[in-house]
Amino acid sequence: MQDKSWKEGVHSSVSSVYVQPLHPQKGETIRIRIQVPLSEELSDVRLVSFQLGREKQYPMQAQRSGSKLYYAAEVALHDEVMYWYFLLVADDRAYSYGLSGLKAFVVPLRECFSLKAGLVPVSWVASSTCYQVFPDRFRKGDASCGAKAGEYAFDGGTVSVHAFDEKPLEFAQGRCLDFFNGDLKGVEDAIPHFKKLGVNVIYLNPIGASMTTHRYDCIDFFHIDEKLGGDEAFEQVCKALHDAGIKVVVDISINHTGTEHPWYKRAVADRSSEEASYYYFQEDGTVACWQDVPTLPQLNYRSNTLRENIYRSKESVMRSFLRPPYLQDGWRLDVSSEVGRRGEDQLCEEIWREVRRAVKQENSQAYLVGEDWVDATPFLQGDMWDATMNYLGSSRPMRSWMGETDRYMTGGWGHQPKPTRPFTGIEFAQALGSHLTSMPAQMLGMQMNLINSHDTPRLYNNTELFDWGLYAGIVKLLYILPGMPSIYYGEEIALAGPYGSTERARYPMQWDEQAWNHAFFSLYTKLGALRTTYASVLADGAYTILHADEESLAFARFDEDTAMVCVLSRSAQPLTLHLPNKMLLIQSIDYVLGGEVSCTSGTLQIRLEPKASSLFVGNR
């Protein structure tokens, strides 16, 4: 029987490594490559494209690059979307190569590579590292601002003020009025901390004027909450962050307002008012609320005036903050898959297409990242959002690898999950692979990957299943997945916050370094530095799932010269893995974080302690 190990050396993808330009306009000529091994068993390589209603074969030219062999062809992009696969002629038969690898049959379109014309990437995202701040709980910087105890009553509660060594109140007691009075000056004061972590994007939970600590109950879209320092504080923090090379993305909910918003008050007081058209009035005269939360009345985008105020006009909310004096860099879009949906009104996609046109008119590099816990592929086609908070492609499978029951199998808004059988390495690979191939590959670099957020329990605080070795492994993986990793404030120091409720995921940040878990902080600082050093690999590199079995997974990112490989083990025993090196062709190892690594021309050898991981960098 012939040795068919040449198959291990074949690779291509829709990435800058193999496709140039990666974001072409219709009519441009594209150069497409495939890497193949040096093998006498291969006699011909062709590219097969589908355009203009027909299939066409293109001969490919061999190109040697060091120890690597590529075949390349140039193709003009005629359609809005071009599909292709490769035809490899071996000594025994012809094989096709597409998204699911080598096949002995012609692959259908869903398994072909594809390229969309006219997509404009937000180019700064793919190599960035993001840090999420929940402003009230992060840091106090300005003693002159903040809520005052007893200042007002709202939704059955009264404002209370707490020190940073206290715990948040549960909702029944605090009603989201338990202020710790973190502010925007505190965010500015934390810039040295962000720099240590290699952070160059800050994602702020809502900062608009509001009644509660979470601020999703906006009462004025156009002004920053005075409890945070007001408009001047936001102008100052934007300037300071930008001067430090840090982008600013702000959370907004255009799905609803708070009940103290003047629009709502006017609408309820006068059903014939313009503002009344901004909301949905029900048969009993009450206003419909998002998810029946009585403090969050839903906005009605049948109103063109509302659309003008929120995003269409030059002076709208979503456009004005992108201009001086703030020059905000993007928006995180709250409950974004539900906007514009009420009964027969299903305006969601229409609204986001309009939002995108308006925002990108101000700044083509402004970032739009939607909140969606499930498959956001319909919104990620280049005409609505740039990205999603990637729960489906990162947080949810990573939590399953740790042995946590999925959020959608859990009561209590997902904050009380039970342990379950963990993912095997094969299942983890399948979950990652299915997501990575679900959207146009040109969009992958813009996704916001995460483990924890203000809406999830902090995974490392799951006392029933936490294991430092396993957790460190998924953090390493998070930092090399296509897209941008997002750290939820405090996870870099193992900030407290037991499971059980949303409020417990929002403990106040601790700034006494003696209280930090320094193993966590060391890991996050090393990974931040690694992303800075290898920014181009992470921005432009291809990916591959190098290996998966019952107890381990290996995931790689690479460009022409450098490979970054993350290996995870959940084995209870020391583990030695021998991974194929016929495609990556790593010649030497430059950096190792965890485990012992060596390489030969054909094999990578990784030795790991029980439930340990390795992230290493090699020269190709």
Side-chain angles (χ1 to χ4, degrees):
M1 182 178 291
Q2 288 184 310
D3 178 16
K4 296 301 178 186
S5 61
W6 64 267
K7 295 179 180 180
E8 296 176 354
V10 178
H11 196 265
S12 188
S13 66
V14 182
S15 65
S16 293
V17 176
Y18 299 109
V19 179
Q20 289 286 348
L22 186 60
H23 297 91
Q25 298 298 314
K26 197 171 177 180
E28 275 195 81
T29 296
I30 310 152
R31 186 166 179 266
I32 300 174
R33 301 196 303 171
I34 182 172
Q35 182 183 332
V36 300
L38 298 169
S39 173
E40 295 180 358
E41 295 177 61
L42 286 176
S43 59
D44 189 19
V45 180
R46 306 172 202 169
L47 184 147
V48 184
S49 78
F50 294 91
Q51 290 198 93
L52 304 176
R54 61 188 289 267
E55 173 184 307
K56 184 176 180 180
Q57 293 190 13
Y58 293 82
M60 303 189 77
Q61 304 302 313
Q63 300 174 335
R64 187 79 178 263
S65 176
S67 58
K68 298 181 288 294
L69 177 62
Y70 295 95
Y71 278 81
E74 292 189 348
V75 183
L77 179 58
H78 298 297
D79 285 348
E80 296 296 332
V81 181
M82 182 180 81
Y83 298 89
W84 74 91
Y85 67 92
F86 300 96
L87 200 61
L88 284 73
V89 181
D91 56 3
D92 62 336
R93 64 164 296 114
Y95 296 86
S96 65
Y97 181 84
L99 288 174
S100 53
L102 280 168
K103 304 289 184 182
F105 52 85
V106 174
V107 294
L109 281 181
R110 70 173 184 271
E111 294 183 26
C112 286
F113 301 108
S114 63
L115 200 67
K116 296 191 76 165
L119 291 184
V120 179
V122 182
S123 59
W124 52 264
V125 177
S127 61
S128 292
T129 301
C130 182
Y131 190 98
Q132 179 186 353
V133 170
F134 192 85
D136 182 68
R137 306 290 161 81
F138 186 61
R139 186 165 177 157
K140 183 67 177 170
D142 182 354
S144 70
C145 67
K148 296 177 176 58
E151 183 177 353
Y152 55 83
F154 176 70
D155 190 32
T158 303
V159 169
S160 60
V161 175
H162 303 267
F164 268 58
D165 59 357
E166 297 181 57
K167 298 176 182 179
L169 301 177
E170 293 295 337
F171 177 74
Q173 182 181 1
R175 308 298 294 185
C176 295
L177 297 175
D178 50 332
F179 286 89
F180 286 73
N181 281 334
D183 54 37
L184 293 175
K185 181 61 167 65
V187 176
E188 179 182 343
D189 292 343
I191 287 175
H193 182 70
F194 302 146
K195 300 298 281 186
K196 287 178 184 176
L197 292 166
V199 165
N200 44 21
V201 180
I202 294 297
Y203 152 35
L204 295 169
N205 281 115
I207 57 175
S210 56
M211 305 297 288
T212 66
T213 57
H214 57 69
R215 294 188 168 88
Y216 288 103
D217 60 317
C218 187
I219 63 173
D220 185 348
F221 284 111
F222 293 90
H223 293 288
I224 307 306
D225 200 322
E226 292 293 337
K227 296 187 288 294
L228 293 173
D231 296 349
E232 289 186 7
F234 187 49
E235 178 182 346
Q236 178 57 37
V237 76
C238 284
K239 183 180 186 305
L241 288 167
H242 287 149
D243 287 348
I246 299 173
K247 305 281 188 183
V248 183
V249 175
V250 178
D251 206 336
I252 189 171
S253 183
I254 68 168
N255 177 71
H256 49 258
T257 66
T259 49
E260 291 298 307
H261 198 294
W263 293 349
Y264 178 79
K265 290 188 168 185
R266 174 69 172 159
V268 172
D270 183 1
R271 288 285 298 274
S272 66
S273 66
E274 179 76 52
E275 289 82 354
S277 69
Y278 295 1
Y279 298 93
Y280 288 96
F281 280 86
Q282 303 180 107
E283 289 184 4
D284 63 359
T286 61
V287 175
C289 293
W290 172 75
Q291 295 289 334
D292 297 324
V293 178
T295 56
L296 303 177
Q298 184 178 353
L299 289 168
N300 181 352
Y301 282 90
R302 289 289 177 191
S303 168
N304 281 310
T305 306
L306 175 64
R307 296 192 191 203
E308 291 290 325
N309 286 329
I310 296 293
Y311 60 80
R312 274 183 183 167
S313 79
K314 189 79 171 171
E315 302 308 316
S316 65
V317 179
M318 296 191 73
R319 293 180 66 174
S320 60
F321 278 97
L322 304 181
R323 298 197 300 274
Y326 310 114
L327 293 171
Q328 184 180 307
D329 300 288
W331 293 104
R332 183 267 189 183
L333 311 167
D334 182 53
V335 297
S336 44
S337 63
E338 301 176 58
V339 171
R341 300 192 192 277
R342 171 68 57 174
E344 293 184 0
D345 283 0
Q346 295 296 318
L347 308 173
C348 190
E349 290 82 0
E350 174 187 316
I351 291 165
W352 290 125
R353 288 187 180 101
E354 289 190 359
V355 167
R356 184 180 184 86
R357 284 194 294 271
V359 165
K360 299 298 184 175
Q361 186 176 341
E362 287 295 334
N363 178 6
S364 66
Q365 291 297 293
Y367 185 47
L368 293 172
V369 52
E371 177 196 16
D372 197 343
W373 291 76
V374 294
D375 186 1
T377 300
F379 297 97
L380 300 174
Q381 300 298 312
D383 59 346
M384 288 182 267
W385 314 338
D386 296 310
T388 182
M389 289 184 76
N390 199 9
Y391 291 105
L392 185 66
S394 52
S395 180
R396 290 173 69 181
M398 288 175 172
R399 287 170 178 267
S400 292
W401 171 253
M402 290 286 291
E404 189 172 277
T405 298
D406 188 76
R407 177 186 180 90
Y408 282 85
M409 298 292 290
T410 302
W413 286 63
H415 283 263
Q416 297 172 313
K418 301 296 184 186
T420 190
R421 178 185 67 75
F423 270 174
T424 65
I426 294 169
E427 291 166 336
F428 198 1
Q430 289 170 339
L432 292 172
S434 66
H435 177 77
L436 288 166
T437 56
S438 68
M439 71 185 76
Q442 297 148 285
M443 305 292 287
L444 285 175
M446 291 182 279
Q447 304 315 300
M448 179 186 278
N449 301 317
L450 71 163
I451 300 171
N452 306 295
S453 79
H454 64 294
D455 283 331
T456 72
R458 296 176 180 269
L459 178 56
Y460 56 83
N461 286 331
N462 189 328
T463 56
E464 291 187 275
L465 55 78
F466 177 74
D467 180 278
W468 166 242
L470 292 177
Y471 189 80
I474 62 172
V475 176
K476 292 172 187 176
L477 178 60
L478 179 75
Y479 270 66
I480 71 163
L481 284 176
M484 173 176 68
S486 181
I487 308 164
Y488 181 42
Y489 81 94
E491 71 176 79
E492 75 277 16
I493 62 167
L495 180 66
Y499 273 44
S501 69
T502 303
E503 286 69 32
R504 297 181 190 183
R506 302 172 183 179
Y507 269 42
M509 179 68 174
Q510 299 301 299
W511 292 100
D512 178 1
E513 294 190 19
Q514 292 184 350
W516 293 4
N517 183 317
H518 287 278
F520 272 66
F521 192 67
S522 174
L523 176 64
Y524 281 86
T525 52
K526 287 175 181 176
L527 291 171
L530 203 64
R531 281 189 68 84
T532 301
T533 301
Y534 296 100
S536 63
V537 182
L538 295 165
D540 301 321
Y543 75 85
T544 188
I545 297 173
L546 197 61
H547 168 81
D549 62 24
E550 287 295 309
E551 295 185 315
S552 65
L553 169 76
F555 187 92
R557 298 292 308 282
F558 59 94
D559 63 12
E560 185 107 11
D561 303 312
T562 304
M564 306 176 74
V565 183
C566 183
V567 183
L568 310 182
S569 168
R570 62 173 318 101
S571 172
Q573 305 298 322
L575 183 67
T576 299
L577 286 172
H578 296 88
L579 304 183
N581 193 26
K582 292 187 177 181
M583 186 276 288
L584 288 180
L585 294 171
I586 293 174
Q587 307 297 310
S588 61
I589 306 298
D590 272 358
Y591 177 92
V592 179
L593 181 59
E596 299 177 12
V597 182
S598 61
C599 65
T600 67
S601 59
T603 305
L604 297 166
Q605 179 174 284
I606 300 96
R607 291 192 177 127
L608 296 172
E609 294 300 312
K611 298 184 179 180
S613 61
S614 179
L615 176 55
F616 62 91
V617 181
N619 293 306
R620 300 185 70 203

